[in-house]
Amino acid sequence: MASPLHKTKGIVLRTVKYGETSLVVTMLTEVFGVQSYIINGVRTSSKKKTGKASVFQPTAILDLVVYHNELKNLQRIKEFKWSFLYKNIFSDIRKNAVALFMVELLNKCLKQPEANKELFQFCEDCLQHLDESSEMVTANFPLFFALHLATFFGVPPALLPAEVAKAENYFFDLREGCFTKERPAHPHFIAEKAAAVTAEIINTRRPHELEQLKLNHDFRRQLLFAYETYYALHMHEFGSLKTLPVLKEILS
């Protein structure tokens, strides 16, 4: 009995060559959460199929018609097409580095296939904003994405109390995910300006607001490594981000 067909959007997270002509593609889908699909024949050199594999580049946002069987680890795709055509992400080195960081971080956090429409829409919205963003917003985007993505995986960094005027007077405890006036007894924390900027980014709701966040390269790098530590402390078997060393070099 054939699996029923479903329409869904998908964001490509990872693509692996399979056999001579096929791909195994891992995607975050709007309807089914993270899923892996085997796609046959897209790597052939025939004129009919030329260029089809390029559709499945990491970060691509696609409209899909898929077969879905909950008992199978590998699903199949009947139809696929671009849902959103990027103007810059595939051609701009800096935007591409940020986008690849985003999908790697997302992929490391996705442990179960359960659907989460709000997570999908957040990621889709972020990628589309990144594609159109200014240089300053692009440079700050990894910080924004890392802090806000954590909310969807049960480890949201706590907001400062509303009455607190300056976060410079606080420590941000990476282990506990909260701001505190007491210096933590362990080494996993950031303080002073790093804590203040973290609070500002947590309170930033729309990516275009990142234009006002004037940070230098070394400071951004410091924050990115702190946020990687945050994920490593809270997400099981998180490891390290392969895209982070590339990102720190490119976002000067």
Side-chain angles (χ1 to χ4, degrees), residues 8 41 63 82 103 148 153 185 189 215:
T8 183
D63 285 327
W82 296 103
V103 296
H148 287 273
F153 295 99
F189 66 88
L215 307 174

Side-chain angles (χ1 to χ4, degrees), residues 169-212:
N169 302 324
Y170 278 70
F171 298 92
F172 182 67
D173 187 325
L174 297 168
R175 184 180 290 177
E176 298 300 324
C178 64
F179 293 89
T180 174
K181 278 204 164 185
E182 301 297 323
R183 183 186 182 94
H186 54 80
H188 303 303
F189 66 88
I190 52 178
E192 299 174 343
K193 185 181 177 182
V197 169
T198 297
E200 188 174 349
I201 297 170
I202 292 170
N203 284 309
T204 298
R205 291 298 159 203
R206 302 301 296 168
H208 67 82
E209 297 169 18
L210 298 168
E211 187 73 43
Q212 310 307 317

Side-chain angles (χ1 to χ4, degrees), residues 1-138:
M1 184 176 176
S3 302
L5 286 168
H6 304 268
K7 290 184 178 180
T8 183
K9 285 184 180 180
I11 298 170
V12 178
L13 302 178
R14 186 173 67 247
T15 300
V16 178
K17 292 178 182 178
Y18 183 79
E20 292 296 317
T21 64
S22 303
L23 296 172
V24 173
V25 181
T26 302
M27 290 192 239
L28 174 65
T29 69
E30 187 171 24
V31 175
F32 301 109
V34 63
Q35 295 289 327
S36 292
Y37 297 92
I38 185 165
I39 304 151
N40 298 119
V42 289
R43 291 170 48 227
T44 60
S45 57
S46 68
K47 290 181 180 179
K48 185 179 179 182
K49 295 290 187 180
T50 298
K52 290 289 180 69
S54 65
V55 174
F56 296 98
Q57 296 179 64
T59 75
I61 304 172
L62 307 177
D63 285 327
L64 307 167
V65 178
V66 301
Y67 299 97
H68 187 76
N69 184 333
E70 290 185 0
L71 300 178
K72 292 184 177 180
N73 293 325
L74 269 181
Q75 310 293 343
R76 290 189 176 271
I77 295 176
K78 184 176 188 291
E79 298 173 18
F80 57 87
K81 64 180 181 180
W82 296 103
S83 177
F84 181 84
L85 279 171
Y86 295 123
K87 295 177 182 176
N88 302 297
I89 280 179
F90 291 142
S91 57
D92 184 302
I93 293 174
R94 298 171 86 243
K95 289 181 187 291
N96 188 250
V98 173
L100 291 177
F101 163 82
M102 289 163 61
V103 296
E104 185 190 12
L105 178 58
L106 177 60
N107 200 37
K108 278 182 167 290
C109 293
L110 289 165
K111 305 297 185 185
Q112 301 296 329
E114 285 82 7
N116 185 328
K117 191 170 185 178
E118 289 76 20
L119 170 62
F120 180 89
Q121 290 172 342
F122 168 74
C123 295
E124 178 185 36
D125 187 62
C126 281
L127 286 166
Q128 291 177 358
H129 271 94
L130 173 65
D131 190 53
E132 302 281 358
S133 66
S134 67
E135 284 192 19
M136 184 64 71
V137 173
T138 297

